[in-house]
CSV table of all heavy atoms in Angstrom, one decimal:
chain,number,residue,atom,x,y,z
S,39,MET,N,0.9,-1.2,0.0
S,39,MET,CA,0.0,0.0,0.0
S,39,MET,C,0.9,1.2,0.0
S,39,MET,O,1.8,1.3,0.8
S,39,MET,CB,-0.9,0.0,1.2
S,39,MET,CG,-1.7,-1.3,1.4
S,39,MET,SD,-3.4,-1.0,1.8
S,39,MET,CE,-3.2,-0.4,3.5
S,40,ALA,N,0.6,2.1,-0.9
S,40,ALA,CA,1.4,3.3,-1.0
S,40,ALA,C,0.5,4.5,-1.3
S,40,ALA,O,-0.5,4.4,-1.9
S,40,ALA,CB,2.4,3.1,-2.1
S,41,LYS,N,1.0,5.6,-0.9
S,41,LYS,CA,0.3,6.9,-1.2
S,41,LYS,C,0.9,7.5,-2.5
S,41,LYS,O,2.1,7.6,-2.7
S,41,LYS,CB,0.6,7.9,0.0
S,41,LYS,CG,0.0,7.5,1.3
S,41,LYS,CD,-1.4,8.0,1.5
S,41,LYS,CE,-1.9,7.7,2.9
S,41,LYS,NZ,-3.2,8.3,3.1
S,42,LYS,N,-0.1,7.8,-3.3
S,42,LYS,CA,0.3,8.4,-4.6
S,42,LYS,C,-0.7,9.6,-4.9
S,42,LYS,O,-1.6,9.8,-4.2
S,42,LYS,CB,0.2,7.4,-5.7
S,42,LYS,CG,1.3,6.3,-5.6
S,42,LYS,CD,1.4,5.5,-6.9
S,42,LYS,CE,2.6,4.6,-6.8
S,42,LYS,NZ,2.6,3.7,-8.0
S,43,LYS,N,-0.3,10.3,-6.0
S,43,LYS,CA,-1.2,11.4,-6.3
S,43,LYS,C,-2.5,10.8,-6.9
S,43,LYS,O,-2.5,10.1,-7.9
S,43,LYS,CB,-0.5,12.3,-7.4
S,43,LYS,CG,-1.3,13.6,-7.6
S,43,LYS,CD,-0.4,14.6,-8.4
S,43,LYS,CE,-1.2,15.9,-8.5
S,43,LYS,NZ,-0.3,16.9,-9.2
S,44,VAL,N,-3.6,11.1,-6.2
S,44,VAL,CA,-4.9,10.5,-6.6
S,44,VAL,C,-5.8,11.6,-7.2
S,44,VAL,O,-5.9,12.7,-6.7
S,44,VAL,CB,-5.5,9.9,-5.3
S,44,VAL,CG1,-6.9,9.3,-5.6
S,44,VAL,CG2,-4.7,8.7,-4.8
S,45,ARG,N,-6.5,11.2,-8.2
S,45,ARG,CA,-7.5,12.1,-8.8
S,45,ARG,C,-8.8,11.5,-8.9
S,45,ARG,O,-9.0,10.2,-9.0
S,45,ARG,CB,-7.0,12.4,-10.3
S,45,ARG,CG,-5.6,13.1,-10.3
S,45,ARG,CD,-5.2,13.4,-11.7
S,45,ARG,NE,-6.1,14.3,-12.4
S,45,ARG,CZ,-6.0,14.6,-13.7
S,45,ARG,NH1,-5.0,14.2,-14.4
S,45,ARG,NH2,-6.9,15.4,-14.2
S,46,ILE,N,-9.9,12.3,-8.8
S,46,ILE,CA,-11.2,11.8,-9.0
S,46,ILE,C,-11.9,12.5,-10.1
S,46,ILE,O,-11.9,13.8,-10.2
S,46,ILE,CB,-12.1,12.0,-7.7
S,46,ILE,CG1,-11.5,11.1,-6.6
S,46,ILE,CG2,-13.5,11.7,-8.0
S,46,ILE,CD1,-12.2,11.2,-5.3
S,47,ASP,N,-12.4,11.8,-11.1
S,47,ASP,CA,-13.1,12.4,-12.2
S,47,ASP,C,-14.5,12.6,-11.8
S,47,ASP,O,-15.3,11.6,-11.7
S,47,ASP,CB,-13.0,11.5,-13.4
S,47,ASP,CG,-13.6,12.1,-14.7
S,47,ASP,OD1,-14.4,13.0,-14.5
S,47,ASP,OD2,-13.3,11.6,-15.8
S,48,GLN,N,-14.9,13.8,-11.5
S,48,GLN,CA,-16.2,14.0,-10.9
S,48,GLN,C,-17.3,13.9,-12.0
S,48,GLN,O,-18.5,13.9,-11.7
S,48,GLN,CB,-16.3,15.4,-10.2
S,48,GLN,CG,-15.4,15.4,-8.9
S,48,GLN,CD,-15.8,16.5,-8.0
S,48,GLN,OE1,-16.2,17.6,-8.4
S,48,GLN,NE2,-15.6,16.2,-6.7
S,49,SER,N,-16.9,13.8,-13.2
S,49,SER,CA,-17.9,13.6,-14.3
S,49,SER,C,-18.4,12.1,-14.3
S,49,SER,O,-19.4,11.8,-14.9
S,49,SER,CB,-17.4,14.0,-15.7
S,49,SER,OG,-16.4,13.1,-16.1
S,50,LEU,N,-17.6,11.3,-13.6
S,50,LEU,CA,-17.9,9.9,-13.5
S,50,LEU,C,-18.5,9.5,-12.2
S,50,LEU,O,-19.3,8.6,-12.0
S,50,LEU,CB,-16.6,9.0,-13.8
S,50,LEU,CG,-16.0,9.1,-15.2
S,50,LEU,CD1,-14.7,8.3,-15.2
S,50,LEU,CD2,-17.0,8.6,-16.2
S,51,CYS,N,-18.0,10.2,-11.1
S,51,CYS,CA,-18.4,9.9,-9.7
S,51,CYS,C,-19.9,9.9,-9.6
S,51,CYS,O,-20.6,10.9,-10.1
S,51,CYS,CB,-17.7,10.9,-8.8
S,51,CYS,SG,-18.2,10.7,-7.0
S,52,ILE,N,-20.5,8.9,-8.9
S,52,ILE,CA,-21.9,8.9,-8.6
S,52,ILE,C,-22.2,9.2,-7.1
S,52,ILE,O,-23.3,9.0,-6.6
S,52,ILE,CB,-22.5,7.6,-9.0
S,52,ILE,CG1,-21.8,6.4,-8.3
S,52,ILE,CG2,-22.4,7.4,-10.5
S,52,ILE,CD1,-22.4,5.0,-8.6
S,53,GLY,N,-21.2,9.5,-6.3
S,53,GLY,CA,-21.3,9.8,-4.9
S,53,GLY,C,-21.7,8.7,-4.0
S,53,GLY,O,-22.4,8.9,-3.0
S,54,CYS,N,-21.3,7.5,-4.4
S,54,CYS,CA,-21.8,6.3,-3.7
S,54,CYS,C,-21.1,6.2,-2.3
S,54,CYS,O,-21.6,5.6,-1.4
S,54,CYS,CB,-21.4,5.0,-4.4
S,54,CYS,SG,-19.7,4.6,-4.5
S,55,GLY,N,-20.0,6.9,-2.1
S,55,GLY,CA,-19.3,6.9,-0.8
S,55,GLY,C,-18.4,5.7,-0.5
S,55,GLY,O,-17.8,5.6,0.6
S,56,CYS,N,-18.2,4.8,-1.5
S,56,CYS,CA,-17.3,3.7,-1.2
S,56,CYS,C,-15.9,4.1,-0.9
S,56,CYS,O,-15.3,3.5,0.1
S,56,CYS,CB,-17.3,2.7,-2.4
S,56,CYS,SG,-18.9,1.9,-2.7
S,57,CYS,N,-15.4,5.0,-1.6
S,57,CYS,CA,-14.0,5.5,-1.4
S,57,CYS,C,-13.9,6.1,0.0
S,57,CYS,O,-12.9,5.9,0.8
S,57,CYS,CB,-13.5,6.4,-2.5
S,57,CYS,SG,-14.5,7.9,-2.7
S,58,VAL,N,-14.9,6.9,0.4
S,58,VAL,CA,-14.9,7.6,1.7
S,58,VAL,C,-15.0,6.6,2.8
S,58,VAL,O,-14.3,6.7,3.8
S,58,VAL,CB,-16.0,8.6,1.8
S,58,VAL,CG1,-16.0,9.3,3.1
S,58,VAL,CG2,-15.9,9.6,0.7
S,59,GLY,N,-15.8,5.6,2.6
S,59,GLY,CA,-16.0,4.6,3.7
S,59,GLY,C,-14.8,3.7,3.9
S,59,GLY,O,-14.5,3.3,5.0
S,60,THR,N,-14.1,3.4,2.8
S,60,THR,CA,-12.9,2.6,2.9
S,60,THR,C,-11.7,3.4,3.3
S,60,THR,O,-10.8,2.9,4.0
S,60,THR,CB,-12.7,1.9,1.5
S,60,THR,OG1,-13.9,1.2,1.1
S,60,THR,CG2,-11.6,0.8,1.7
S,61,TYR,N,-11.6,4.6,2.8
S,61,TYR,CA,-10.4,5.4,3.0
S,61,TYR,C,-10.8,6.8,3.5
S,61,TYR,O,-10.6,7.8,2.8
S,61,TYR,CB,-9.5,5.5,1.7
S,61,TYR,CG,-9.0,4.2,1.2
S,61,TYR,CD1,-9.6,3.6,0.1
S,61,TYR,CD2,-8.0,3.5,1.9
S,61,TYR,CE1,-9.2,2.3,-0.3
S,61,TYR,CE2,-7.5,2.3,1.4
S,61,TYR,CZ,-8.1,1.7,0.3
S,61,TYR,OH,-7.7,0.5,-0.1
S,62,PRO,N,-11.3,6.9,4.7
S,62,PRO,CA,-11.8,8.2,5.2
S,62,PRO,C,-10.7,9.2,5.4
S,62,PRO,O,-11.0,10.4,5.5
S,62,PRO,CB,-12.5,7.8,6.5
S,62,PRO,CG,-11.8,6.5,6.9
S,62,PRO,CD,-11.5,5.8,5.7
S,63,ASP,N,-9.5,8.8,5.5
S,63,ASP,CA,-8.4,9.7,5.6
S,63,ASP,C,-8.0,10.4,4.3
S,63,ASP,O,-7.3,11.4,4.3
S,63,ASP,CB,-7.1,9.1,6.3
S,63,ASP,CG,-7.4,8.6,7.7
S,63,ASP,OD1,-8.3,9.2,8.3
S,63,ASP,OD2,-6.7,7.7,8.1
S,64,ASP,N,-8.5,9.8,3.2
S,64,ASP,CA,-8.0,10.2,1.9
S,64,ASP,C,-9.1,10.9,1.1
S,64,ASP,O,-8.8,11.8,0.2
S,64,ASP,CB,-7.6,9.0,1.1
S,64,ASP,CG,-6.3,8.4,1.6
S,64,ASP,OD1,-5.6,9.1,2.4
S,64,ASP,OD2,-6.0,7.2,1.3
S,65,PHE,N,-10.4,10.6,1.4
S,65,PHE,CA,-11.5,11.2,0.6
S,65,PHE,C,-12.6,11.7,1.4
S,65,PHE,O,-12.8,11.2,2.5
S,65,PHE,CB,-12.0,10.1,-0.4
S,65,PHE,CG,-11.0,9.5,-1.3
S,65,PHE,CD1,-10.5,8.2,-1.0
S,65,PHE,CD2,-10.5,10.1,-2.4
S,65,PHE,CE1,-9.5,7.6,-1.8
S,65,PHE,CE2,-9.5,9.5,-3.2
S,65,PHE,CZ,-9.1,8.3,-2.9
S,66,GLN,N,-13.3,12.6,0.9
S,66,GLN,CA,-14.5,13.1,1.5
S,66,GLN,C,-15.6,13.4,0.5
S,66,GLN,O,-15.3,13.6,-0.7
S,66,GLN,CB,-14.2,14.4,2.3
S,66,GLN,CG,-13.8,15.6,1.4
S,66,GLN,CD,-13.3,16.8,2.3
S,66,GLN,OE1,-13.2,16.7,3.5
S,66,GLN,NE2,-13.0,17.9,1.6
S,67,ILE,N,-16.9,13.5,0.9
S,67,ILE,CA,-17.9,13.9,0.0
S,67,ILE,C,-18.1,15.4,0.1
S,67,ILE,O,-18.3,15.9,1.2
S,67,ILE,CB,-19.3,13.2,0.4
S,67,ILE,CG1,-19.1,11.7,0.2
S,67,ILE,CG2,-20.4,13.7,-0.5
S,67,ILE,CD1,-18.9,11.2,-1.2
S,68,GLY,N,-17.9,16.1,-1.0
S,68,GLY,CA,-17.9,17.5,-1.0
S,68,GLY,C,-19.3,18.1,-1.0
S,68,GLY,O,-20.3,17.3,-1.1
S,69,ASP,N,-19.5,19.4,-1.1
S,69,ASP,CA,-20.8,20.1,-1.1
S,69,ASP,C,-21.6,19.7,-2.3
S,69,ASP,O,-22.8,19.7,-2.3
S,69,ASP,CB,-20.6,21.6,-1.1
S,69,ASP,CG,-20.0,22.1,0.2
S,69,ASP,OD1,-20.1,21.4,1.2
S,69,ASP,OD2,-19.4,23.2,0.2
S,70,SER,N,-20.9,19.3,-3.4
S,70,SER,CA,-21.6,18.8,-4.6
S,70,SER,C,-22.2,17.5,-4.5
S,70,SER,O,-22.9,17.0,-5.4
S,70,SER,CB,-20.6,18.8,-5.7
S,70,SER,OG,-19.5,17.9,-5.5
S,71,GLY,N,-21.9,16.8,-3.4
S,71,GLY,CA,-22.4,15.4,-3.2
S,71,GLY,C,-21.5,14.4,-3.9
S,71,GLY,O,-21.8,13.2,-3.9
S,72,LEU,N,-20.3,14.8,-4.4
S,72,LEU,CA,-19.4,14.0,-5.1
S,72,LEU,C,-18.1,13.9,-4.3
S,72,LEU,O,-17.8,14.8,-3.5
S,72,LEU,CB,-19.1,14.5,-6.5
S,72,LEU,CG,-20.3,14.7,-7.4
S,72,LEU,CD1,-19.9,15.3,-8.7
S,72,LEU,CD2,-21.0,13.4,-7.6
S,73,ALA,N,-17.3,12.8,-4.5
S,73,ALA,CA,-16.1,12.6,-3.8
S,73,ALA,C,-15.0,13.6,-4.2
S,73,ALA,O,-15.0,13.9,-5.4
S,73,ALA,CB,-15.7,11.2,-3.9
S,74,GLU,N,-14.2,13.9,-3.3
S,74,GLU,CA,-13.0,14.7,-3.6
S,74,GLU,C,-11.8,14.2,-2.7
S,74,GLU,O,-12.1,13.8,-1.6
S,74,GLU,CB,-13.2,16.2,-3.4
S,74,GLU,CG,-13.7,16.6,-2.0
S,74,GLU,CD,-14.3,18.0,-2.0
S,74,GLU,OE1,-14.8,18.5,-3.0
S,74,GLU,OE2,-14.2,18.6,-0.9
S,75,PRO,N,-10.6,14.3,-3.2
S,75,PRO,CA,-9.5,14.0,-2.3
S,75,PRO,C,-9.3,15.0,-1.2
S,75,PRO,O,-9.6,16.2,-1.4
S,75,PRO,CB,-8.3,14.0,-3.3
S,75,PRO,CG,-8.8,14.0,-4.7
S,75,PRO,CD,-10.2,14.7,-4.5
S,76,ILE,N,-8.9,14.5,0.0
S,76,ILE,CA,-8.6,15.4,1.1
S,76,ILE,C,-7.3,16.0,1.0
S,76,ILE,O,-7.1,17.2,1.2
S,76,ILE,CB,-8.8,14.7,2.4
S,76,ILE,CG1,-10.2,14.2,2.7
S,76,ILE,CG2,-8.3,15.5,3.6
S,76,ILE,CD1,-10.4,13.3,3.9
S,77,ALA,N,-6.3,15.2,0.5
S,77,ALA,CA,-5.0,15.7,0.4
S,77,ALA,C,-4.5,15.4,-1.0
S,77,ALA,O,-5.1,14.6,-1.8
S,77,ALA,CB,-4.0,15.1,1.4
S,78,GLU,N,-3.3,15.9,-1.4
S,78,GLU,CA,-2.8,15.6,-2.7
S,78,GLU,C,-2.5,14.1,-2.9
S,78,GLU,O,-2.7,13.6,-4.0
S,78,GLU,CB,-1.6,16.5,-3.0
S,78,GLU,CG,-1.1,16.3,-4.4
S,78,GLU,CD,-0.1,17.4,-4.8
S,78,GLU,OE1,-0.1,18.5,-4.1
S,78,GLU,OE2,0.6,17.2,-5.7
S,79,LEU,N,-2.0,13.5,-1.8
S,79,LEU,CA,-1.7,12.1,-1.9
S,79,LEU,C,-2.7,11.3,-1.3
S,79,LEU,O,-3.3,11.6,-0.2
S,79,LEU,CB,-0.3,11.8,-1.3
S,79,LEU,CG,0.9,12.5,-1.9
S,79,LEU,CD1,2.2,12.2,-1.1
S,79,LEU,CD2,1.0,12.2,-3.4
S,80,GLY,N,-3.0,10.1,-1.9
S,80,GLY,CA,-4.0,9.2,-1.3
S,80,GLY,C,-3.6,7.8,-1.6
S,80,GLY,O,-2.6,7.5,-2.3
S,81,GLU,N,-4.3,6.9,-1.0
S,81,GLU,CA,-4.0,5.4,-1.1
S,81,GLU,C,-4.3,4.9,-2.5
S,81,GLU,O,-5.4,5.0,-3.0
S,81,GLU,CB,-4.9,4.7,-0.1
S,81,GLU,CG,-4.7,3.2,-0.1
S,81,GLU,CD,-3.2,2.8,0.0
S,81,GLU,OE1,-2.6,3.2,1.0
S,81,GLU,OE2,-2.8,2.1,-0.9
S,82,GLU,N,-3.3,4.4,-3.1
S,82,GLU,CA,-3.4,4.0,-4.5
S,82,GLU,C,-4.4,2.8,-4.7
S,82,GLU,O,-5.1,2.7,-5.7
S,82,GLU,CB,-2.1,3.6,-5.1
S,82,GLU,CG,-1.5,2.4,-4.5
S,82,GLU,CD,-0.2,1.9,-5.3
S,82,GLU,OE1,-0.2,2.1,-6.5
S,82,GLU,OE2,0.7,1.4,-4.7
S,83,ASP,N,-4.6,2.0,-3.7
S,83,ASP,CA,-5.6,0.9,-3.7
S,83,ASP,C,-7.0,1.4,-3.8
S,83,ASP,O,-7.9,0.6,-4.1
S,83,ASP,CB,-5.4,0.0,-2.6
S,83,ASP,CG,-4.1,-0.8,-2.6
S,83,ASP,OD1,-3.5,-0.8,-3.7
S,83,ASP,OD2,-3.7,-1.4,-1.6
S,84,ALA,N,-7.2,2.7,-3.6
S,84,ALA,CA,-8.6,3.2,-3.6
S,84,ALA,C,-9.2,3.1,-5.1
S,84,ALA,O,-10.4,3.0,-5.2
S,84,ALA,CB,-8.6,4.7,-3.2
S,85,VAL,N,-8.3,3.0,-6.0
S,85,VAL,CA,-8.7,2.8,-7.4
S,85,VAL,C,-9.7,1.6,-7.5
S,85,VAL,O,-10.7,1.7,-8.3
S,85,VAL,CB,-7.5,2.6,-8.3
S,85,VAL,CG1,-8.0,2.2,-9.7
S,85,VAL,CG2,-6.7,3.9,-8.4
S,86,SER,N,-9.4,0.6,-6.8
S,86,SER,CA,-10.2,-0.7,-7.0
S,86,SER,C,-11.5,-0.6,-6.2
S,86,SER,O,-12.4,-1.5,-6.5
S,86,SER,CB,-9.4,-1.9,-6.5
S,86,SER,OG,-9.1,-1.7,-5.1
S,87,VAL,N,-11.8,0.3,-5.4
S,87,VAL,CA,-13.1,0.4,-4.6
S,87,VAL,C,-14.1,1.2,-5.4
S,87,VAL,O,-15.3,1.1,-5.0
S,87,VAL,CB,-12.9,0.9,-3.2
S,87,VAL,CG1,-11.9,0.2,-2.4
S,87,VAL,CG2,-12.7,2.4,-3.2
S,88,CYS,N,-13.8,1.9,-6.4
S,88,CYS,CA,-14.7,2.8,-7.1
S,88,CYS,C,-15.5,1.9,-8.2
S,88,CYS,O,-14.8,1.4,-9.1
S,88,CYS,CB,-14.1,4.0,-7.7
S,88,CYS,SG,-15.3,5.0,-8.6
S,89,PRO,N,-16.8,1.8,-8.1
S,89,PRO,CA,-17.5,1.0,-9.0
S,89,PRO,C,-17.6,1.6,-10.4
S,89,PRO,O,-18.0,0.8,-11.4
S,89,PRO,CB,-18.9,0.9,-8.4
S,89,PRO,CG,-19.1,2.1,-7.6
S,89,PRO,CD,-17.7,2.4,-7.1
S,90,VAL,N,-17.3,2.8,-10.6
S,90,VAL,CA,-17.5,3.5,-11.9
S,90,VAL,C,-16.1,3.9,-12.5
S,90,VAL,O,-16.1,4.6,-13.5
S,90,VAL,CB,-18.4,4.6,-11.9
S,90,VAL,CG1,-19.8,4.2,-11.5
S,90,VAL,CG2,-18.0,5.7,-10.9
S,91,GLY,N,-15.0,3.6,-11.8
S,91,GLY,CA,-13.7,3.9,-12.4
S,91,GLY,C,-13.4,5.4,-12.3
S,91,GLY,O,-12.6,5.8,-13.2
S,92,ALA,N,-13.9,6.1,-11.4
S,92,ALA,CA,-13.7,7.5,-11.3
S,92,ALA,C,-12.3,7.9,-10.7
S,92,ALA,O,-11.9,9.0,-10.8
S,92,ALA,CB,-14.8,8.2,-10.6
S,93,ILE,N,-11.7,6.9,-10.0
S,93,ILE,CA,-10.5,7.2,-9.2
S,93,ILE,C,-9.3,6.7,-10.0
S,93,ILE,O,-9.3,5.6,-10.5
S,93,ILE,CB,-10.5,6.5,-7.8
S,93,ILE,CG1,-11.7,7.0,-7.0
S,93,ILE,CG2,-9.2,6.9,-7.1
S,93,ILE,CD1,-11.8,6.3,-5.7
S,94,SER,N,-8.3,7.6,-10.2
S,94,SER,CA,-7.1,7.2,-10.9
S,94,SER,C,-5.9,7.7,-10.1
S,94,SER,O,-6.0,8.6,-9.3
S,94,SER,CB,-7.1,7.7,-12.3
S,94,SER,OG,-7.1,9.1,-12.3
S,95,VAL,N,-4.7,7.1,-10.3
S,95,VAL,CA,-3.5,7.6,-9.7
S,95,VAL,C,-2.5,7.9,-10.8
S,95,VAL,O,-2.5,7.4,-11.9
S,95,VAL,CB,-2.9,6.5,-8.8
S,95,VAL,CG1,-3.8,6.3,-7.6
S,95,VAL,CG2,-2.5,5.3,-9.5
S,96,GLU,N,-1.7,8.9,-10.5
S,96,GLU,CA,-0.6,9.3,-11.4
S,96,GLU,C,0.7,8.6,-10.9
S,96,GLU,O,1.0,8.6,-9.7
S,96,GLU,CB,-0.4,10.8,-11.3
S,96,GLU,CG,-1.6,11.5,-12.0
S,96,GLU,CD,-1.3,13.0,-12.0
S,96,GLU,OE1,-0.2,13.5,-11.8
S,96,GLU,OE2,-2.3,13.8,-12.1
S,97,GLU,N,1.3,7.8,-11.8
S,97,GLU,CA,2.5,7.1,-11.5
S,97,GLU,C,3.7,8.0,-11.3
S,97,GLU,O,3.7,9.1,-11.9
S,97,GLU,CB,2.8,6.0,-12.5
S,97,GLU,CG,1.7,5.0,-12.6
S,97,GLU,CD,1.5,4.2,-11.4
S,97,GLU,OE1,2.6,4.0,-10.7
S,97,GLU,OE2,0.4,3.7,-11.1
H,20,SF4,S1,-16.2,5.3,-4.9
H,20,SF4,FE1,-16.1,6.3,-6.9
H,20,SF4,S2,-18.3,6.8,-7.4
H,20,SF4,FE2,-18.2,6.3,-5.2
H,20,SF4,S3,-17.9,8.3,-4.2
H,20,SF4,FE3,-15.9,7.5,-4.5
H,20,SF4,S4,-15.2,8.3,-6.5
H,20,SF4,FE4,-17.4,8.6,-6.4
């Protein structure tokens, strides 16, 4: 498990909260009802919890 630069494509996010529930230190649900990273770096394994593929990491 490693911290990397994590991005969320909010045009894909459906606000299901899976990423927030699994990695509450890395993601939050914003005012828009969609997920956003809390910090620049997040857990790279979060990519696999998103059902719509909205989370990506920069290598
Ligand atoms: S898991 Fe994916 S769809 Fe669900 S809130 Fe997080 S980024 Fe959005």
Side-chain angles (χ1 to χ4, degrees):
M39 305 226 291
K41 295 270 188 176
K42 292 193 173 173
K43 190 167 184 178
V44 175
R45 300 179 58 182
I46 293 179
D47 184 339
Q48 292 197 330
S49 71
L50 296 175
C51 176
I52 57 173
C54 71
C56 290
C57 57
V58 178
T60 309
Y61 299 104
D63 293 337
D64 293 341
F65 304 102
Q66 63 187 6
I67 297 295
D69 292 340
S70 61
L72 304 175
E74 57 192 28
I76 293 173
E78 186 166 337
L79 297 181
E81 177 54 56
E82 66 173 327
D83 289 348
V85 171
S86 64
V87 307
C88 180
V90 295
I93 304 176
S94 61
V95 296
E96 293 181 16
E97 297 297 331

